[in-house]
Amino acid sequence: MTDAAPGPVADNRLDWSHARDPEALLACGFGSGFLRPAPGTWGTVAALGIWWFLIAPLEPPLQLLIVLATALVGSVISGRVCRRYGVKDPGAIVIDEFAGLWLTLLGFNQDWWVFVVVGFLLFRLFDIWKPGPVGWADRQLSGGFGVMADDLVAGCLAALVLQVAFFGFILTDAGLLP
């Protein structure tokens, strides 16, 4: 634990006082996870801004590498922050939303902004609703990997739906579907 970091929290809630801890600040989406209400949505908005300006212009293999690196780093630092402050998947940790949204938008760029908006909404829907495998991952997995897993599964589901819609649009536009 760093000297500047406050000790364990009793209410499973991280706040701005934890921003002095660099790992907590990163895990909490550079502070976006401290915003209320709906820290997960604020974190996803922050992730969308980073995606829009820094990730979307990149080629899909590099986008995928960023998603994988974020998932790995997020698992490690989320686990460390949870242990350090005695919390279990607090809402303020939103690095999982970053990885999940970026997975949802994999392969898209700003030119397809309507699909980006739909992807954002689908990801938030699956992350909040937690259908099937998303809920299983949320309930069954723990530690830093558990913090990340449900959002990565939500990102996979949102990506699947988004890709089906995208290819349906492309095929319809090409006259191959009615």
Side-chain angles (χ1 to χ4, degrees), residues 136-152:
W136 180 88
D138 185 55
R139 291 185 307 275
Q140 299 299 318
L141 303 175
S142 61
F145 180 72
V147 169
M148 299 297 294
D150 64 310
D151 289 81
L152 292 171

Side-chain angles (χ1 to χ4, degrees), residues 38-109:
T41 299
W42 286 112
T44 308
V45 168
L48 182 60
I50 292 169
W51 177 87
W52 187 269
F53 293 106
L54 299 177
I55 299 172
L58 303 174
E59 294 297 320
L62 193 50
Q63 291 180 12
L64 178 60
L65 185 61
I66 290 169
V67 170
L68 294 173
T70 303
L72 178 63
V73 169
S75 292
V76 171
I77 67 167
S78 294
R80 290 170 52 128
V81 168
C82 286
R83 284 189 304 277
R84 182 175 303 139
Y85 298 110
V87 294
K88 183 184 180 300
D89 199 0
I93 292 182
V94 295
I95 195 167
D96 50 338
E97 271 81 7
F98 282 49
L101 179 69
W102 296 346
L103 182 57
T104 300
L105 300 177
L106 186 63
F108 284 94
N109 62 41

Side-chain angles (χ1 to χ4, degrees), residues 143-177:
F145 180 72
V147 169
M148 299 297 294
D150 64 310
D151 289 81
L152 292 171
V153 175
C156 285
L157 289 178
L160 178 66
V161 172
L162 191 63
Q163 290 293 334
V164 168
F166 177 74
F167 285 111
F169 171 79
I170 295 296
L171 293 175
T172 301
D173 193 50
L176 298 172
L177 287 177

Side-chain angles (χ1 to χ4, degrees), residues 6-18 34 36 39 82 85-92:
V9 295
D11 60 356
N12 199 47
R13 191 168 169 168
L14 300 174
D15 58 34
W16 283 105
S17 68
H18 297 93
F34 299 138
R36 300 280 184 255
C82 286
Y85 298 110
V87 294
K88 183 184 180 300
D89 199 0

